[in-house]
Amino acid sequence: MKRKSKSPDSPLDQHTVEELQFQERLIIKYIIEGMTREEAAIQALADLREMDRR
C-alpha cells in the first residue's frame, strides 16, 4: 500500500493559512511584550491548543 504524498506545489487550504497568520500575529504580540522568539512561539502554540479545546 503506497502513501499518497502531497506535492510540494500543492496550496495550503484557507483554514491552514488563516491559522498560520493568526499564530504569526500572536508571536509578534508576545515579542512586543518582551518575550524572546522561542518563548513567544511556545506561548502562541499553547494558546492555539487551548482555543482548539473549547
Side-chain angles (χ1 to χ4, degrees):
M1 182 185 218
K2 288 187 178 181
R3 281 181 144 179
K4 283 188 176 181
S5 63
K6 289 187 178 182
S7 72
D9 298 330
S10 68
L12 296 171
D13 67 350
Q14 188 61 31
H15 175 74
T16 304
V17 171
E18 289 170 1
E19 193 170 285
L20 289 171
Q21 289 171 337
F22 181 68
Q23 182 179 350
E24 183 178 30
R25 287 192 300 273
L26 280 176
I27 290 171
I28 291 168
K29 174 187 156 203
Y30 291 136
I31 289 173
I32 290 171
E33 291 178 358
M35 290 185 180
T36 65
R37 282 183 176 200
E38 292 80 16
E39 291 170 334
I42 291 168
Q43 186 62 48
L45 286 173
D47 290 351
L48 288 172
R49 280 192 204 115
E50 183 64 33
M51 292 172 138
D52 284 345
R53 288 182 190 163
R54 293 180 197 169

